[in-house]
Amino acid sequence: MPLGRSRWHVLDILRPPNSDGLRRGRRRCLAGPTHGWQVTAVDISVTALERTSAHGSAAGVSDRLTTGQHDLARTFPTGTFDLISAQYLHTLLEFPRTRILRRAAHALTAGGLLLNVDHGSVRPCDGTPTARPA
């Protein structure tokens, strides 16, 4: 993480469609603006983004929260980010997870951090082992 920077630009990649759990990204992406960070939250779902914006307004951080609709299999947000959060990108649908994470890594500023959290080697939605990127 770039030290000495008081205002980080964060990209929060919300969960893919039909993922293995409830969308919890709203709380996660609202934590950043309360610390003065500029957060861009992306999702394929307009409804999820509308809810994220509403939560941002209610928390008084809408000036530091931007939302954008992206099908990450086709489009990716432009710009560079100090922190990219990609948590639990699991789905039973065809989803180019490795390609998306590589695009995310290329969108980092020098010294930036890609936070990728998953369930390990087994997808909880169906119990089968997942392929690990090389």
Side-chain angles (χ1 to χ4, degrees):
M1 197 59 64
L3 298 177
R5 182 175 283 188
S6 61
R7 189 169 166 143
W8 294 343
H9 191 194
V10 179
L11 174 63
D12 194 347
I13 298 173
L14 303 179
R15 300 175 61 145
N18 298 320
S19 61
D20 61 323
L22 298 173
R23 294 180 183 274
R24 297 187 187 123
R26 266 47 39 195
R27 285 192 205 110
R28 193 173 70 237
C29 70
L30 291 180
T34 61
H35 295 291
W37 301 352
Q38 181 65 41
V39 175
T40 300
V42 298
D43 198 299
I44 195 170
S45 167
V46 172
T47 301
L49 295 171
E50 288 172 349
R51 289 179 183 163
T52 299
S53 293
H55 289 304
S57 293
V61 296
S62 58
D63 61 324
R64 294 183 302 278
L65 176 63
T66 304
T67 60
Q69 185 180 18
H70 286 273
D71 175 351
L72 294 173
R74 294 188 171 99
T75 64
F76 197 86
T78 59
T80 57
F81 304 90
D82 302 305
L83 169 65
I84 298 177
S85 175
Q87 299 185 30
Y88 304 107
L89 293 176
H90 300 287
T91 180
L92 293 174
L93 302 175
E94 184 66 30
F95 188 70
R97 184 174 181 270
T98 301
R99 184 168 49 106
I100 291 166
L101 291 174
R102 284 191 180 126
R103 283 185 85 180
H106 289 288
L108 289 169
T109 58
L113 177 66
L114 173 58
L115 175 63
N116 176 33
V117 178
D118 66 19
H119 293 287
S121 63
V122 176
R123 296 186 307 195
C125 50
D126 69 358
T128 59
T130 57
R132 307 298 282 176

